[in-house]
Amino acid sequence: MTTYRPEVDGLRAVAVVPVILFHAGIHGFGGGFVGVDIFFVISGFLITKILVDEHRGGRFSIAAFYERRVRRLLPALLFVVVACLPMAALWMLPDDLKGFSDSLVALATFASNILFWRQSGYFDTASELKPLLHTWSLAVEEQFYVLFPLLLALAWRLGTRRLATLMLAAALLSLGLAEWGALNKPAAAFFLLPTRGWELLVGALTALACEHRDAGRALPAAAAQSLALLGGVLIAVSILWFDSATPFPGLHALVPTLGAALVLACATPAAGLGWLLARPALVGIGVVSYSAYLWHQPLLAFARLGRWGAADSLALRWALIATTLLLATLTWRFVETPFRTRRVCATRRGLFRAAGLALAAIAAVGVAGHRSDGFKSAFDPGQVARAAAVDALFAERERLVRAGTCQFNASTNPAGVRAFLDRWDCAADRGQPGLRTIPLIVTGDSHSADLVLSLKLNGVVPLQMGGAGCSLTPRYMTRDCRQIFDKLGVLARGSRYYEYVAIANRFDSEEELGPDEIREMVDYWQGLGKKLIFFTSMPDFPLYKASIAHAWPLRANLAMSRWSERPEIVDYLASRGVHVVHTAAFFCTLSPDCGYRDAGGDLLMADPDHLSRAGARRFGAVLLRGDDLFKGIVARAGGATASALVAAHS
């Protein structure tokens, strides 16, 4: 029989707390997302231990296995989902409510990870505003639970040694696919079972390894404690050092997963790290960790959607974390425990029937929300019209920046980056009267496309090539972005006409602008042999569309702008001969108090952090009038397009 190990609950606490802190935006936990990877290892470990014990004792039953999974996972999950319904109706606009409805259907069919993978375009609703986004990991586990017990039953007669060999081969194949995906298809690699399955298999292999320990072939106590401590260090390093720019879940994910495996295999409550993990405080959090995981994302998302504490203050976030733990404790006591102890739905048939009806009801609500366009008819017509006006501005912006043609976006370029580069022709806009070509190359993420639009609407056009979501720091560039920038380098070096390169990004990752990263970025872009211009981050307007629709007051968030124009950054760039444009300062001249409307009442933004046509026109005019370097660049503008110049040197 599998015995209870309190240090495993302690490890669950180590997994869930960083996840919550990461999603709450608590500084210092940039790698907190690896808590999910630790959970995967724990799940694979415990499931395999149970299944191996049952096969050895001749007690294995697939029906009993699924009954345990239903009792463990569904009651708390469905309770939290039902609690989300009134909050979604209260604070979501029709488009968001339709997306939420889709997530209900996906949840009921164990396909949340597939849905969120398909929704993971660069301009999709921000992840922090999706109440059920975190259920993707539950879907991965559920899909694993469908396949793994059956495959284990079929392979059991081979013996545990051959079984371990098969698992290892499958894990290595999955890891290889994950590493390739992290560099080439990061969204798919993040969400889907084939690139996550190896983490669960690491747990399964750890369980088989523990068979040897239990059979009397254990390591000496000192060695076991040292290995457990090493595992704890690996987990800590990944939580504290990784960030959103770390390629994941490829080889980097080995750090937390192997750390978790070492802790599971080697830690004991008697001494060392195992003793620490077995302390009552950590065990208590670990016991309620599943419910805590379920509650944290909806609470944080609805707090943002409902504008609880509009500034998203640190005090509010800590209050939500405390509320998460309180609700988790109550849910564990009054929902999880009664089902797991059979005080509710005592029979297997009754449990399966109730679960089926509940999932069908959730799916029905989701289907109704999808087919009614987010219950649009129930909303105030004025709200719907204002939200539609913002959608129209964004659609116009996409057309004007030639999204998918001049700016690579994986969601709008399904043929891939090579096809995008083959048909790219954005040196200058052919056939448009009144546009003069300037000796400037503009690149970066979608914010660089806004800069190009701002210049075009004021009569001048640079060479444009970039990619949505592309980092300007080489260590963080995906393979697609690297191909784009390599091609741009060929064009830049091959043409004497272009004297300047302007780089513009959102810079929403603090690590992108660390001292080493800044130095690396400048080295890379000055390597093109052009004079470099650096645009600091644009202001952004959280909940922009909702604020317009509900007529809420809204002012710019300047946090990222201020981060990107810190004195140490500006001074270093100046020492390297880089011209710095303080983007927020120019933008904030467009409207009173750095707002989202100009003096004439026109909306300056097409979404929270991209300019509308009116905003781009005004921003470009202010830039060309107020920046002396840009005045000089425009003075050297030519009347002909630069397409022929680029073609001659391609």
Side-chain angles (χ1 to χ4, degrees), residues 597-621:
R597 293 185 186 272
D598 64 14
D602 288 334
L603 292 173
L604 297 171
M605 308 299 293
D607 76 350
D609 62 319
H610 295 93
L611 294 168
S612 67
R613 179 181 189 136
R617 184 179 64 252
R618 293 287 311 281
F619 179 80

Side-chain angles (χ1 to χ4, degrees), residues 3-14 42 45-46 263-264 277-278 283 286:
T3 57
Y4 173 68
R5 294 176 54 188
E7 71 274 17
V8 176
D9 276 329
L11 185 60
R12 283 193 176 109
V14 169
I42 295 172
F45 175 82
L46 293 176
V263 173
L264 289 170
L277 292 175
V283 171

